[in-house]
Amino acid sequence: MKKGTRMIDIAESLNISVVTVSNALNNRGGVSPELREMIKKMADEIGYQYDNSSKNGSKSESVTIGILYSDSAIGGNDNMVWQMCQKISEEFVKVNSFVITENVSKNMISEAILPRLITENKVSGVIILGNLPKLYITEIKDYGLPMLMVECESENKDSIMVDKYNSGFMLADYLYSKGHRKIGFVGEISSDDNVCDLYLGYLKAILRYNLEKNETWLLSDKDSSGLMKRKFDIDLKTLPTAFVCSRDESAFRLAASLKASGINVPGDVSIVSFGNSFAAEMSDPPITSVGVDADNISRIASEMMVKKLNDESVSYGTSYIAGIIKERESVSEI
């Protein structure tokens, strides 16, 4: 990937941190006037583009944060992507800062094209929303900007994830509270860490409540080629009273398959799922689902990023945030 001039180039030349460079170029505190002038002189010499209106030395606490999201961010839930972008923006406005967003398309990834908000030095920090390839993330990290991951599987130490394990338990526990004692699981456990975590949470409820286990109640939602199944072949003789589905799309297709087989949802079989996406809303019936707590994640993300901008030594590790269950019409009480 072709790189232009970067903050890290200035930092390495002057043997200082990237955060110090960012603070100086954006006229934030914590940098002496002498060092600030030296950093801006170096930026001019190597052609690093920054806000020239700040060259008069006037102090401004305003910061611009970039949000990068992929076509498949948050499980392909476009509504959730825009909701998260909006709420994160609202949080940064509260601290006199701003957000710009950019979609990382499949073509950008395949052609190794980095986002313009990175290459054109438009932001002081980056939030990655949803999964991007590890190599692509590494290239972004090379620019030396403070970074935070949200719902992104990465080796990066600073990330915020929805707690899939407890979400799986929450869904099974919800069905148990409605009287269900025969509960199945839908998802390809071996292909996805998130699905595996959801399954382990489901299994915790099965073991805690000493519920019946039956291998025929564990359904994969992938075909032999690894693609999502369009419909499910279901053994109607051994049906449980409810299923926990690892994603809303699987729940949508399961409900349709059951209906085509003459099984009523939720009269005969109840269904819950993870994602709280458009698919859950549009299913017949609408699916009870656990989703992202966008308000809480946005608040925590903004707080973390502000601290990372002000102190390069700040590290959070991975923070797991509980999901929120949205009750709809797919569960009957026994």
Side-chain angles (χ1 to χ4, degrees), residues 6 19 55 95 105 122 132 136 138 142 155 186 197-198 216 223 232 238-239 258 262 295 303 305 324:
R6 306 166 298 170
V19 174
K55 285 186 177 182
V95 293
S105 67
K122 295 180 179 296
L132 290 176
Y136 198 83
T138 298
D142 284 348
E155 297 174 356
V186 177
D197 288 345
L198 284 162
T216 65
D223 60 23
F232 290 85
T238 60
L239 277 175
L258 288 169
D295 289 328
E303 291 175 356
M305 179 55 73
I324 297 177

Side-chain angles (χ1 to χ4, degrees), residues 11 22 38 40 84 103 126 131 174 177 180 184 252 255 267 307:
S22 177
M38 186 184 302
K40 291 187 176 183
M84 289 292 296
N103 176 41
V126 178
N131 280 325
Y174 175 81
S177 72
H180 293 274
F252 180 96
K307 290 179 181 178

Side-chain angles (χ1 to χ4, degrees), residues 255-311:
S257 296
L258 288 169
K259 184 177 180 180
S261 300
I263 304 299
N264 180 268
V265 179
D268 299 317
V269 175
S270 294
I271 298 176
V272 296
S273 62
F274 178 84
N276 195 23
S277 67
F278 188 65
E281 297 176 11
M282 294 304 296
S283 178
D284 182 20
I287 305 294
T288 291
S289 182
V290 167
V292 174
D293 185 350
D295 289 328
N296 197 22
I297 287 180
S298 300
R299 177 184 58 79
I300 293 172
S302 64
E303 291 175 356
M304 285 183 174
M305 179 55 73
V306 168
K307 290 179 181 178
K308 285 171 67 67
L309 287 166
N310 292 325
D311 184 352

Side-chain angles (χ1 to χ4, degrees), residues 13-251:
S13 296
L14 298 176
N15 196 28
I16 56 178
S17 72
V18 173
V19 174
T20 299
V21 175
S22 177
N23 286 341
L25 297 181
N26 288 281
N27 286 316
R28 293 194 294 271
V31 185
S32 68
E34 295 79 10
L35 180 56
R36 188 186 307 277
E37 183 178 353
M38 186 184 302
I39 291 170
K40 291 187 176 183
K41 181 179 179 181
M42 174 65 71
D44 293 337
E45 289 176 354
I46 68 173
Y48 182 89
Q49 298 298 312
Y50 64 100
D51 185 2
N52 291 326
S53 65
S54 65
K55 285 186 177 182
N56 59 13
S58 61
K59 185 177 179 180
S60 170
E61 295 298 329
S62 177
V63 178
T64 301
I65 302 298
I67 297 181
L68 300 176
Y69 61 93
S70 68
D71 291 333
S72 59
I74 315 299
N77 186 351
D78 291 337
N79 289 338
M80 182 55 66
V81 170
W82 287 112
Q83 183 182 8
M84 289 292 296
C85 288
Q86 179 181 353
K87 289 186 177 296
I88 290 174
S89 297
E90 291 171 354
E91 291 295 329
F92 276 105
V93 166
K94 294 177 183 177
V95 293
N96 192 33
S97 299
F98 306 95
V99 166
I100 56 177
T101 63
E102 185 171 348
N103 176 41
V104 179
S105 67
K106 293 179 181 178
N107 179 66
M108 290 173 65
I109 293 172
S110 63
E111 298 294 328
I113 301 170
L114 288 177
R116 290 180 61 186
L117 64 80
I118 298 289
T119 60
E120 297 181 4
N121 310 312
K122 295 180 179 296
V123 297
S124 299
V126 178
I127 295 175
I128 295 180
L129 183 59
N131 280 325
L132 290 176
K134 290 183 179 180
L135 179 59
Y136 198 83
I137 292 175
T138 298
E139 295 286 348
I140 294 172
K141 287 171 66 177
D142 284 348
Y143 275 75
L145 295 170
M147 289 178 62
L148 182 66
M149 313 293 189
V150 177
E151 277 297 278
C152 180
E153 298 174 13
S154 171
E155 297 174 356
N156 186 279
K157 293 181 179 181
D158 299 317
S159 59
I160 303 173
M161 299 287 291
V162 177
D163 192 334
K164 311 300 190 309
Y165 176 77
N166 280 320
S167 293
F169 176 81
M170 184 188 303
L171 289 168
D173 182 67
Y174 175 81
L175 291 172
Y176 181 82
S177 72
K178 298 296 183 180
H180 293 274
R181 300 297 181 262
K182 297 181 178 181
I183 304 172
F185 184 86
V186 177
E188 184 52 56
I189 301 166
S190 62
S191 66
D192 188 310
D193 287 342
N194 288 331
V195 176
C196 185
D197 288 345
L198 284 162
Y199 172 73
L200 291 174
Y202 151 86
L203 190 59
K204 174 184 175 181
I206 300 300
L207 296 174
R208 170 174 289 187
Y209 300 126
N210 195 29
L211 302 182
E212 182 179 347
K213 289 176 285 192
N214 190 319
E215 291 297 321
T216 65
W217 299 347
L218 302 180
L219 306 179
S220 174
D221 56 2
K222 301 287 184 69
D223 60 23
S224 58
S225 61
L227 299 176
M228 289 285 295
K229 288 181 177 179
R230 292 183 176 275
K231 63 179 181 178
F232 290 85
D233 296 321
I234 303 167
D235 185 353
L236 302 181
K237 297 179 181 179
T238 60
L239 277 175
T241 64
F243 282 102
V244 172
C245 296
S246 60
R247 50 176 58 89
D248 291 334
E249 186 177 356
S250 300

